[in-house]
Amino acid sequence: MAGIVYDLLEILKHQQECYEGLVTLATYKTESVQNKNLELLSQIVEKEEEFIGRLNLLDKKREGMLKDIALVTGLKYEQLTLTKLMEKMGMELEISQDLLKVREEILELMEQLKAQNEINKMVLEESLDYVNFTINAIKSTKMTQIPVNYGRPGEEETLQTRSLFDKRQ
């Protein structure tokens, strides 16, 4: 069983690296939105997709290992957690301590990612509000109405308005 547990630890470390990368990308994403750097934002999203794809593969491997560990230990797969595995092996073992450390670091990274994504959500909403405000301001901007009287004396005067911007419909 020790070999499978060490393999599980390696997978968890790889997942930790992915989460570290996602946290870093999330901070870059905030900066790219604030600086209106769409090219950088596009590259960040592409890198995020790579990390997420890698995480999905690692999750599948981790699930397979947990099934194997459940068979070896006699624990039910549906109820198997890292905490239960560490308790089964003994909390004093070095591998248990390593698993605990990686688990805590991954949980911390997930919290950081969640917090950074909330910041990104607010920044994006502010940017969208600004864009909507600008569009509405442009739509409402019209040149002042200028009386135009090209008719003969006594005919009704007409008012024409002209928009400052061309618009296509």
Side-chain angles (χ1 to χ4, degrees):
M1 179 173 91
I4 292 176
V5 176
Y6 281 104
D7 291 342
L8 176 63
L9 179 61
E10 284 304 308
I11 286 179
L12 291 173
K13 286 181 180 180
H14 289 298
Q15 286 185 306
Q16 178 184 357
E17 291 170 3
C18 288
Y19 283 114
E20 288 169 350
L22 287 171
V23 168
T24 301
L25 289 173
T27 45
Y28 288 146
K29 186 186 284 186
T30 305
E31 293 172 19
S32 68
V33 171
Q34 289 172 334
N35 297 329
K36 298 168 185 64
N37 188 340
L38 297 179
E39 185 178 323
L40 177 61
L41 182 60
S42 177
Q43 292 171 357
I44 291 169
V45 169
E46 192 175 301
K47 288 289 184 190
E48 280 179 328
E49 289 172 355
E50 290 174 19
F51 276 116
I52 291 169
R54 187 171 167 211
L55 273 171
N56 287 334
L57 291 174
L58 291 168
D59 272 340
K60 288 178 184 175
K61 285 183 181 180
R62 182 179 50 84
E63 290 297 319
M65 286 187 180
L66 288 175
K67 288 178 182 177
D68 292 344
I69 290 170
L71 287 173
V72 171
T73 60
L75 297 171
K76 292 184 179 180
Y77 167 73
E78 296 81 19
Q79 298 172 346
L80 183 61
T81 63
L82 282 178
T83 305
K84 287 184 181 179
L85 177 61
M86 291 181 289
E87 288 171 356
K88 179 86 172 174
M89 293 185 314
M91 292 300 287
E92 68 282 348
L93 291 178
E94 184 179 342
I95 186 71
S96 293
Q97 294 303 310
D98 291 344
L99 285 170
L100 180 64
K101 181 182 176 194
V102 170
R103 176 186 171 273
E104 289 173 355
E105 289 172 355
I106 288 175
L107 290 174
E108 176 63 29
L109 286 167
M110 291 174 91
E111 285 299 315
Q112 289 176 12
L113 185 59
K114 182 179 176 183
Q116 192 63 46
N117 281 338
E118 282 298 316
I119 291 169
N120 288 344
K121 179 181 174 184
M122 289 188 303
V123 169
L124 285 170
E125 285 173 353
E126 287 175 8
S127 293
L128 284 174
D129 287 345
Y130 178 74
V131 168
N132 286 331
F133 171 79
T134 303
I135 289 171
N136 289 333
I138 291 171
K139 281 182 178 180
S140 67
T141 304
K142 293 184 177 184
M143 290 187 71
T144 58
Q145 295 183 352
I146 304 169
V148 178
N149 186 1
Y150 294 117
R152 296 186 185 153
E155 287 185 1
E156 200 174 295
E157 204 175 90
T158 60
L159 293 177
Q160 291 182 336
T161 60
R162 184 173 62 125
S163 175
L164 183 61
F165 301 99
D166 291 337
K167 58 182 173 182
R168 295 183 182 180
Q169 295 180 347

